[in-house]
Structures are given as structure tokens and as C-alpha cells.
Amino acid sequence: MRYNEKELRALSRQPAEMAAELGMRGPKKGSVVKRRLVKLVVNFLFYFRTDEAEPLGALLLERCRVSQEEPSAFSISFLEDPERKYHFECCGQEQCQAWVEALRRASYEYMRKSLIFYRNEIQKMTGKDPLEQFGISEEARFQLTGTPVDGWSCIGSRLDALD
Amino acid sequence: MKLNKRSVAHYALSDAPADHTGFLRTWGGPGTPPTPSGTGRRCWFVLKGNLLFSFESPEGRAPLSLVVLEGCTVELAEAPVPEEFAFAIRFDAPGVRPHLLAADGQAAQEAWVKALSRASFGYMRLVVRELESQLQDARQSLALHRSTPWKVNASHRKPQAPDRSSPAWENGHFLPRDHSPGCFMRDVGSRPAGRDLAEWELQGPASLLLSRGQSPVSPETSCFSTLHNWYGQEIMELRQRWQQRVQGSQPEHEQQDRP
């Protein structure tokens, strides 16, 4: 799968939600902890060698599970292979908790669910759809089922009944 | 640069909702000249969040390419051949060629431009924050307008504190049972003294928080997970009471006991 690496590198230079030097250990057996500059930008977690400007790698944070492993250590794994974990060591419990919280909210899917939740709540309380004023109430990304408006079925998506 | 490609591909194929799909002609890719020419290659595109994937076909089991849609603008464009429905994804990053794409018709072209323009994480975050503050406004005005509590027949309710062993409510992620400071969950363990049970339960989480002098909306988006937890508890309690009601004569008993 090709991807736009140049743009992803540019993204890694954008202002981060969270950035810190952490101990990082890859998922492979026998991998050792290395100091890395870890940077959370939108739904990507970039990691750098501490003295380099270009990222070593990136993790897309969709469908991931963030687990607290120890008071000051957490791991990230992905739904399709939950035992394959990226380990991170923090300098304390507070830092660890802050990262765990931030990472759990860092996915586009989490934001989508939040938005649908708020939309429904506002609709229940006021009787009005808050997205109508922006003219985006029909956008697929804001629907509960997420089926695209143009009627095409998409790969793997639930084929919930369309109107 | 490394990327967790396998997980990315799984996400592309998962049943996470696609925001837009369709056939598009694409220029660029391995073996293509730096300046787009010819009719391009027809691929099946899937937009999920801020990620644009392409496949050989709708049945494709592995994405051909990924375009991360951050730091870009989308605009109508001129195609290399007189193909009227072209548009380009232009990146702010220096030295990056725009991605040229073309739809089958005008409606599809417009729909794609709209969908791609709104694909960024930042856009979604803006909308979420806007709704968050609208919800806060709605709740505050509702709380202000509620001068008298809404009394409902409380005869079926058992006057006891509900079981507070809250579930680890899963929202696509695991949530820890020990919540972070600033979360109101710890306060919900005991009912406010001297308040009618019915009134408390019907006012909902926001007014409960407001009455305790806390804002229901925190600057971060942690509000959603705490509210989610609260509703989870509320549902558990409702389920408990329903079960008690169904069990028969016991509610009758309580009716006599309640002051």
C-alpha cells in the first residue's frame, strides 16, 4: 500500500496535542526499550530518535486499544491483533494517565461518536438538529449508520437499510 | 518512515463507517510520469475520516494507496484530457505534487470535493466543540427554566442507593474504573440529601453537575466519556427497577413504606 509519506512527515512537524520523551519498545519479541520523542498529532502517533528531526515512524490510532500496563507504563495494540503491543514507559503515574486519556480520545472514530452523541442530545433537548445550521446534517460522517449518501455500498460496512 | 500498514489496511476494510465512496480516475502512482497525462487509472476510492484509500475494485481486499488528508485543500481542476469532472487535492507541504482525481459526473465531482474538504481531523474537532458548547447552553437554559421539579409517580421505586459497581463502559476503547481527577463519577455514589428521588433522577447528568457547581463540559473532550458512563449507570438503574416491577408484589410493599 503506497501512502503519501512526504505529507505525513509534514504532519509530524505540526503542533502536537502531546509530546514527550518516553521509553518505547516495539511489539517484536526481544525488542528493547529505546528513548524516543513521541508526538501525538491528530490521529497519528509519531516517534523520533531524540536527536533527529525526521520521524522514525508513525502509528495510526484508529481501532486501537490503549491499556495501562503498570502505574507508569502503557501499551497500544490494534483490534485485529491485540497481543501485538507497542510499549511505552513514562516517568510517572500522572504522565502515564495523561497519555492514556489523550490517546483514547485521539481517533477520528471517537470524535465521530462524540459528535453523534452531542447531536442527539441537543436534538432531544431543543427539538432541533444542530447540524442543519451548517448545512451538513446529511453528511455521511455525521450519521449513526455511516452509510454513504450516494447509495454505493462500501467495503465491509454494515448494509443498514437506506431510505 | 515506518507506518503500521497492516492496522491501517484493517481499518480500511473494517466496518467503521465510510464517509464517501465511488469510482474515480487517478493520475500518479508508480510508473506514471510526473506530469499527469492520458485518461488516468480508474480505481475504487473509500474515504474514512481523514484517510482516502484506493482499491482495485469494490471487492478489493487490500488498499492500493492511502492519502492522508491533513494540511491540504481541495479544488476543482483541469484534467490532462478534456475530462470535465476533475479536482485536485493540494498540499501545503512544499515540493508535494497535487493529487489529481476525476469523477464520472458533475454531481459526483461536487460530492467528492465537499466530502474531501471536510475530511480533516481539525474540521471534525471544530464541529464537536461547537456542539459541545451548544449542548452546555441548552442544558443551562433548561436548568434555569426548571423552577419546580418534575414530579412523577414514585411508587414503584425502591428507596435505596443503586449498585455503584459501574461497568467498564466500552466505547471502542477500554475505560479505566479509576477515573481521572475532574471526573464527577466519584460524587455520584451518594444521593444528595433531602432531595426527592424522582426529581434527582429525571434531571439528568448536566443539571446534577450544575447543582454541584461543576461545568458539565470540560475543555477537553473527556465530557463525552463521563456522560457516557453516567448514562450507562442510569440505564442499569432503570433496568433494575424494571426488573423489580416485573417481579410483582414487592413494589406494592414499598408504596406503603414511602413517606
Side-chain angles (χ1 to χ4, degrees):
Chain A
M1 183 188 75
R2 298 184 329 263
Y3 67 97
N4 51 336
E5 185 167 328
K6 258 197 200 153
E7 289 92 317
L8 209 50
R9 284 176 184 279
L11 185 63
S12 77
R13 293 190 278 273
Q14 295 311 304
E17 274 96 274
M18 301 263 293
E21 202 182 291
L22 303 176
M24 180 175 173
R25 184 160 60 89
K28 291 205 184 114
K29 258 201 176 127
S31 58
V32 290
V33 178
K34 303 220 173 101
R35 300 298 298 169
R36 294 285 181 249
L37 173 62
V38 179
K39 206 172 161 186
L40 173 62
V41 184
V42 297
N43 50 349
F44 283 90
L45 189 68
F46 294 100
Y47 49 99
F48 303 71
R49 283 205 184 90
T50 52
D51 55 351
E52 286 178 3
E54 290 300 315
L56 264 175
L59 297 176
L60 172 71
L61 297 170
E62 300 295 332
R63 289 163 62 88
C64 74
R65 178 186 293 177
V66 185
S67 315
Q68 184 136 8
E69 298 286 338
E70 279 154 46
S72 51
F74 66 90
S75 69
I76 300 176
S77 60
F78 296 91
L79 284 191
E80 77 277 356
D81 196 352
E83 292 313 305
R84 197 165 178 274
K85 295 180 173 183
Y86 294 82
H87 291 267
F88 296 87
E89 290 172 8
C90 304
C91 59
Q93 200 166 348
E94 210 176 293
Q95 188 191 42
C96 185
Q97 275 182 354
W99 273 97
V100 168
E101 263 183 51
L103 290 167
R104 284 182 178 151
R105 301 191 308 249
S107 70
Y108 201 100
E109 293 308 313
Y110 179 88
M111 275 212 301
R112 194 199 302 275
K113 285 172 188 164
S114 306
L115 187 140
I116 289 168
F117 171 79
Y118 290 133
R119 182 187 189 181
N120 287 340
E121 285 301 295
I122 293 169
Q123 206 149 15
K124 275 197 293 191
M125 295 186 95
T126 65
K128 281 188 269 177
D129 177 3
L131 295 184
E132 256 175 48
Q133 62 177 135
F134 301 120
I136 54 176
S137 50
E138 296 310 308
E139 290 279 303
R141 66 184 66 243
F142 305 133
Q143 311 310 322
L144 262 166
T145 58
T147 43
V149 186
D150 66 2
W152 289 94
S153 63
C154 35
I155 295 162
S157 79
R158 289 165 287 151
L159 292 175
D160 289 323
L162 292 170
D163 297 325
Chain B
M1 188 179 94
K2 287 191 239 174
L3 178 66
N4 54 333
K5 284 189 182 180
R6 210 166 44 149
S7 305
V8 174
H10 272 269
Y11 174 62
L13 294 164
S14 73
D15 61 2
D19 296 299
H20 209 73
T21 60
F23 283 106
L24 292 173
R25 278 192 215 287
T26 175
W27 288 262
T32 62
T35 318
S37 62
T39 54
R41 183 183 174 183
R42 191 168 152 88
C43 294
W44 176 256
F45 279 83
V46 176
L47 173 64
K48 274 191 177 173
N50 57 352
L51 306 174
L52 181 64
F53 296 98
S54 73
F55 295 83
E56 190 84 45
S57 71
E59 295 77 36
R61 297 311 297 164
L64 294 173
S65 74
L66 159 65
V67 179
V68 178
L69 296 165
E70 293 291 331
C72 61
T73 49
V74 187
E75 45 196 47
L76 303 177
E78 287 281 318
V81 287
E83 189 108 11
E84 303 93 59
F85 312 111
F87 55 96
I89 305 172
R90 202 171 293 275
F91 285 89
D92 306 330
V96 175
R97 272 194 296 137
H99 286 254
L100 190 61
L101 298 160
D104 290 338
Q106 193 179 355
Q109 179 196 37
E110 280 174 12
W112 270 106
V113 171
K114 248 176 49 173
L116 292 170
S117 307
R118 293 180 179 141
S120 74
F121 200 85
Y123 174 82
M124 189 55 129
R125 192 158 41 193
L126 270 172
V127 182
V128 171
R129 284 196 180 144
E130 171 62 29
L131 292 199
E132 220 172 35
S133 81
Q134 276 192 26
L135 185 58
Q136 181 179 23
D137 292 345
R139 281 179 167 157
Q140 277 176 344
S141 58
L142 204 68
L144 283 169
H145 289 134
R146 279 211 172 124
S147 48
T148 50
W150 177 19
K151 297 251 188 274
V152 158
N153 183 9
S155 57
H156 294 294
R157 300 219 166 87
K158 285 187 106 178
Q160 69 177 43
D163 181 20
R164 288 294 163 185
S165 57
S166 53
W169 200 262
E170 202 167 331
N171 176 33
H173 309 279
F174 281 119
L175 289 176
R177 284 172 193 273
D178 51 323
H179 293 278
S180 59
C183 174
F184 76 103
M185 282 301 288
R186 293 196 203 104
D187 293 337
V188 185
S190 56
R191 297 293 166 90
R195 267 180 115 174
D196 180 36
L197 192 68
E199 174 201 309
W200 182 86
E201 289 186 325
L202 289 163
Q203 278 191 356
S207 49
L208 172 70
L209 289 165
L210 287 169
S211 71
R212 292 176 182 275
Q214 280 173 303
S215 164
V217 176
S218 60
E220 302 79 34
T221 53
S222 59
C223 179
F224 171 60
S225 44
T226 55
L227 283 167
H228 198 142
N229 272 343
W230 201 98
Y231 280 109
Q233 274 202 328
E234 194 179 50
I235 288 164
M236 271 182 57
E237 287 167 44
L238 285 168
R239 207 179 291 152
Q240 263 184 329
R241 284 201 299 276
W242 176 84
Q243 277 166 356
Q244 285 150 15
R245 228 176 293 164
V246 162
Q247 265 147 36
S249 61
Q250 219 170 3
E252 241 45 74
H253 232 272
E254 300 312 316
Q255 217 166 344
Q256 292 158 19
D257 290 341
R258 275 188 71 78

